[in-house]
């Protein structure tokens, strides 16, 4: 239960959740952390809290440093329950002088916990709060991830407490970016952005521009999930910069579900066509790939080819669920195409195309439908479809 020192008088006092496997529909296969931070100064300040089930872990860590009742301020960077779940109990225990939050944060806190008597203090960008030796300044970051979200920056130490942004669902005994496997770190950073922030990419883009304009020196970025970026905060910033612009890597995904393997046969031949054009691709069968892992791949892909059999005049349920999820996240700047087998009505391809049109994908073909089981000529058309997508990718020079 040891706290972890970030720098002089600033500590991680959060909790590791090794067991969580679902975060509102996002598979968290490696668990997560709920990060909270303690600043020891004339005004002792707690930045964020943890999910209610982990409150005792956080309290034990705080007690290693100070009696929790001596805390003066609580900063709430984000009201979602994984960070504010312990707040009512902490307020009861600490009786803080100030609960520092954004304007929208105050509203959200009142609507979550129904305490009009809490000592809300609105953090205004440009108006610093002195803790004694250290100074807090604030950035409004609405919709990253909720309307209430904000960042807190400690000027003297150049540490940005970035709430959900730049985080990962990664439960580890290590606390810093240089202590974990870099491939796993990038995989989880990617998955987090893909499943939490893709929809808000225009706001991320503005935020990155604002941080650059402010010339904000960043010695560390301390998000509310996963590791603290102390060695390479630039890695997280550069990745966010790329993703917020919808830049793909030039590769393609064939995402499909199949009833009796006909659509699967088609998927493999579409892949052969892509390969003919020298395009790197992945076949992702929704039966075996969780939607949130598929979204991680979508983030970096430049073309999405969707395949589905027709069932009851519609889509197979796994594809219908995936499309609903992807449409909510609204990835941009993708080339799209669709295919699928059918028995008598054959609506699936039309529905796939409609979904991709809604997401403003650049659809390069009307779509390929095959009745029952494809024969050689049909499979040849699948290869042609793959080639067409590959050629469109090359023409776009992604
Ligand atoms: Fe980690 Fe939006 O909560």
């Amino acid at each position: 239960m040891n706290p972890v020192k970030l720098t002089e008088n600033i500590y991680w006092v959060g909790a590791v959740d090794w067991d969580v496997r679902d975060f509102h529909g996002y598979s968290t296969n490696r668990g997560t952390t709920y990060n909270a931070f303690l600043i020891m100064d004339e005004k002792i300040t707690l930045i964020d809290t943890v999910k209610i089930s982990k409150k005792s872990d956080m309290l034990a860590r705080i007690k290693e440093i100070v009696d929790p009742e001596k805390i003066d301020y609580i900063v709430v960077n984000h009201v979602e329950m994984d960070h504010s779940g312990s707040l009512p109990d902490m307020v009861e225990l600490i009786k803080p002088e100030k609960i520092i939050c954004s304007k929208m944060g105050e509203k959200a806190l009142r609507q979550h916990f129904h305490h009009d008597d809490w000592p809300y203090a609105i953090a205004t960008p440009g108006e610093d709060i002195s803790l004694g030796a250290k100074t807090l300044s604030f950035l409004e970051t609405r919709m990253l991830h909720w309307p209430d979200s904000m960042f807190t920056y400690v000027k003297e130490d150049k540490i940005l407490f970035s709430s959900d942004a730049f985080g990962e669902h990664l439960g580890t005994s290590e606390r810093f970016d240089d202590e974990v496997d870099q491939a796993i770190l990038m995989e989880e950073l990617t998955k987090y952005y893909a499943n939490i922030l893709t929809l808000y990419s225009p706001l991320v883009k503005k935020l990155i521009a604002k941080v650059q304009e402010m010339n904000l020196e960043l010695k560390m970025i301390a998000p509310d999930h996963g590791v603290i970026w102390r060695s390479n905060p630039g890695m997280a910033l550069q990745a966010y910069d790329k993703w917020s612009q919808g830049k793909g890597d030039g590769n393609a995904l064939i995402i499909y579900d199949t009833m009796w393997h006909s659509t699967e046969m088609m998927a493999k031949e579409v892949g052969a066509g892509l390969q003919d054009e020298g395009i790197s691709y992945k076949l992702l069968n929704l039966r075996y790939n969780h939607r949130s892992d598929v979204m991680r791949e979508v983030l970096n892909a430049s073309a999405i080819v969707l395949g589905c059999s027709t069932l009851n005049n519609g889509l197979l349920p796994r594809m219908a669920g995936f499309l609903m999820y992807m449409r909510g996240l609204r990835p941009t700047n993708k080339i799209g195409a669709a295919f699928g087998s059918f028995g008598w009505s054959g609506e699936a391809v039309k529905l796939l195309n409609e979904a991709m049109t809604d997401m403003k994908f650049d659809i390069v073909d009307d779509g390929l439908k095959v009745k029952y089981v494809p024969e050689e000529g049909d499979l040849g058309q699948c290869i042609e479809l793959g080639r067409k997508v590959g050629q469109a990718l090359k023409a776009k020079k992604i």
Side-chain angles (χ1 to χ4, degrees):
M1 289 298 172
N2 290 333
V4 178
K5 189 173 177 178
L6 271 66
T7 190
E8 212 48 44
N9 292 324
I10 301 185
Y11 300 88
W12 175 85
V13 291
V16 181
D17 189 339
W18 298 96
D19 298 332
V20 66
R21 289 293 177 272
D22 179 86
F23 190 87
H24 48 56
Y26 166 165
S27 67
T28 50
N29 301 326
R30 294 189 171 103
T32 194
T33 70
Y34 313 110
N35 297 336
F37 303 94
L38 189 71
I39 303 178
M40 295 300 294
D41 207 332
E42 283 169 35
K43 294 292 183 187
I44 300 172
T45 300
L46 178 65
I47 298 186
D48 291 318
T49 67
V50 297
K51 198 172 177 178
I52 185 67
S53 57
K54 298 291 171 193
K55 184 188 74 178
S56 56
D57 290 15
M58 176 183 67
L59 267 175
R61 290 194 169 96
I62 293 172
K63 282 177 186 168
E64 292 286 326
I65 303 165
V66 69
D67 175 356
E69 292 181 40
K70 296 208 164 113
I71 293 172
D72 299 286
Y73 298 163
I74 302 177
V75 174
V76 179
N77 277 333
H78 180 24
V79 178
E80 193 165 8
M81 293 285 201
D82 48 333
H83 311 295
S84 72
S86 303
L87 188 65
D89 289 355
M90 293 303 285
V91 173
E92 182 68 28
L93 174 71
I94 295 168
K95 299 190 176 42
E97 191 182 322
K98 288 181 184 178
I99 297 173
I100 301 166
C101 57
S102 68
K103 198 172 168 188
M104 296 299 280
E106 180 188 353
K107 209 171 161 184
L109 285 172
R110 287 181 190 273
Q111 289 167 339
H112 272 71
F113 303 113
H114 314 288
H115 279 285
D116 291 335
D117 55 334
W118 281 3
Y120 303 103
I122 304 301
T124 309
E127 288 180 20
D128 296 345
I129 293 181
S130 172
L131 305 182
K134 298 182 193 292
T135 316
L136 303 184
S137 62
F138 307 94
L139 265 88
E140 198 176 83
T141 57
R142 280 189 197 196
M143 300 318 297
L144 304 178
H145 155 230
W146 277 11
D148 53 87
S149 298
M150 68 174 195
F151 290 177
T152 299
Y153 181 67
V154 180
K155 284 189 161 177
E156 292 74 12
D157 301 294
K158 302 175 178 45
I159 300 178
L160 183 69
F161 294 95
S162 62
S163 185
D164 274 348
F166 308 114
E168 326 87 43
H169 284 312
L170 180 58
T172 59
S173 54
E174 292 75 28
R175 297 276 66 81
F176 296 100
D177 59 336
D178 48 76
E179 297 175 323
V180 296
D181 183 303
Q182 296 300 290
I184 290 175
L185 177 58
M186 184 44 94
E187 184 182 313
E188 294 299 344
L189 184 76
T190 309
K191 185 170 176 178
Y192 193 93
Y193 188 100
N195 286 278
I196 301 283
L197 295 171
T198 297
L199 177 62
Y200 308 115
S201 289
L203 298 171
V204 175
K205 200 171 160 185
K206 275 189 195 163
L207 176 73
I208 300 270
K210 194 168 160 186
V211 169
Q212 282 165 349
E213 185 190 303
M214 288 166 75
N215 228 355
L216 206 61
E217 243 189 287
L218 295 176
K219 199 170 158 200
M220 283 188 212
I221 299 178
D224 273 356
H225 295 290
V227 294
I228 296 148
W229 300 89
R230 72 173 172 192
S231 289
N232 198 3
M235 176 172 148
L237 283 165
Q238 279 158 22
Y240 269 47
D241 188 32
K242 175 191 167 211
W243 294 326
S244 69
Q245 295 176 55
K247 284 185 186 167
D249 288 340
N251 58 337
L253 300 178
I254 303 164
I255 303 167
Y256 72 98
D257 198 0
T258 189
M259 193 189 296
W260 290 108
H261 301 292
S262 290
T263 302
E264 182 178 29
M265 288 166 72
M266 297 174 76
K268 287 177 179 166
E269 298 309 316
V270 172
L274 284 161
Q275 200 159 15
D276 283 351
E277 294 297 329
I279 300 295
S280 175
Y281 72 94
K282 282 184 184 167
L283 276 177
L284 297 171
N285 183 337
L286 290 173
R287 178 186 292 266
Y288 306 116
N289 293 279
H290 191 274
R291 61 180 165 266
S292 54
D293 290 317
V294 176
M295 280 313 300
R296 185 194 67 225
E297 299 292 340
V298 167
L299 185 64
N300 284 323
S302 300
I304 310 293
V305 190
L306 297 176
C308 189
S309 327
T310 297
L311 173 73
N312 299 332
N313 307 113
L315 297 165
L316 289 170
R318 273 186 292 261
M319 178 58 82
F322 173 71
L323 273 188
M324 173 68 82
Y325 190 66
M326 181 161 70
R327 284 169 93 161
L329 288 163
R330 300 196 83 77
T332 56
N333 198 25
K334 311 288 183 197
I335 284 171
F339 63 93
S341 80
F342 68 103
W344 48 96
S345 58
E347 288 88 347
V349 167
K350 179 172 154 270
L351 293 168
L352 296 174
N353 275 335
E354 280 173 8
M356 289 190 284
T357 302
D358 181 50
M359 289 181 284
K360 300 191 168 38
F361 285 14
D362 183 7
I363 297 175
V364 296
D365 190 271
D366 292 340
L368 184 58
K369 285 166 42 170
V370 170
K371 192 152 183 164
Y372 290 120
V373 178
E375 53 187 354
E376 208 177 319
D378 301 318
L379 295 175
Q381 282 191 298
C382 294
I383 293 174
E384 277 312 310
L385 180 66
R387 284 185 185 145
K388 201 167 174 181
V389 172
Q391 285 157 11
L393 273 174
K394 289 195 281 191
K396 204 172 173 184
K397 292 192 175 60
I398 296 174

